[in-house]
Amino acid sequence: MLKSAALLSRIIFVAAAIVTVVGCSGEPLSTREKGTFLGTGIGAATGAIIGAALGNPLAGAAIGAGVGAVGGYVVGNSMQNSENKQQQTQSQINAQQREIQRQQQQIQQLKSQQEAE
């Protein structure tokens, strides 16, 4: 059991190192990427724990990481798509507000011209 705990701590350390390196790459991670990395880490840790109970923590971690990555990608992708739709809607709202302000200014100009006549 001590050997599998050491292996589990190594797996967690490697996963944390990978996430740290990727996170420091200069570009912020997208929601999709965050979901994938989080799913991979959680899946690997869970798989290692289950694998340790069954006598093979490395295989459990590998299988868990794969399943977690797929699950994390699906959730992260869905969240990313929702964020993109919200940003698009907000852009449309902003454009419409600018158009309303422009039209209000035109109305004010026309009223001022009418009063001057």
Side-chain angles (χ1 to χ4, degrees):
M1 188 66 180
L2 185 58
K3 191 174 186 179
S4 56
L7 181 60
L8 177 60
S9 66
R10 286 184 193 154
I11 291 169
I12 292 171
F13 175 77
V14 169
I18 290 170
V19 170
T20 301
V21 168
V22 171
C24 295
S25 66
E27 293 290 321
L29 294 177
S30 69
T31 301
R32 184 179 300 114
E33 292 167 336
K34 289 176 188 175
T36 302
F37 286 123
L38 186 60
T40 302
I42 292 171
T46 304
I49 292 168
I50 294 170
L54 299 175
N56 197 344
L58 191 56
I63 293 168
V67 172
V70 170
Y73 175 83
V74 169
V75 171
N77 188 52
S78 176
M79 291 173 67
Q80 182 74 49
N81 290 341
S82 293
E83 287 175 7
N84 291 344
K85 287 178 185 176
Q86 288 175 350
Q87 288 175 350
Q88 185 180 20
T89 300
Q90 189 61 47
S91 291
Q92 291 172 345
I93 289 170
N94 292 342
Q96 290 172 353
Q97 286 175 337
R98 285 190 301 272
E99 179 62 20
I100 289 169
Q101 288 174 347
R102 188 186 67 77
Q103 290 177 357
Q104 287 173 339
Q105 288 173 350
Q106 285 179 338
I107 290 170
Q108 288 298 336
Q109 287 174 351
L110 290 172
K111 284 182 179 179
S112 296
Q113 287 174 356
Q114 255 183 347
E115 290 173 0
E117 293 176 357

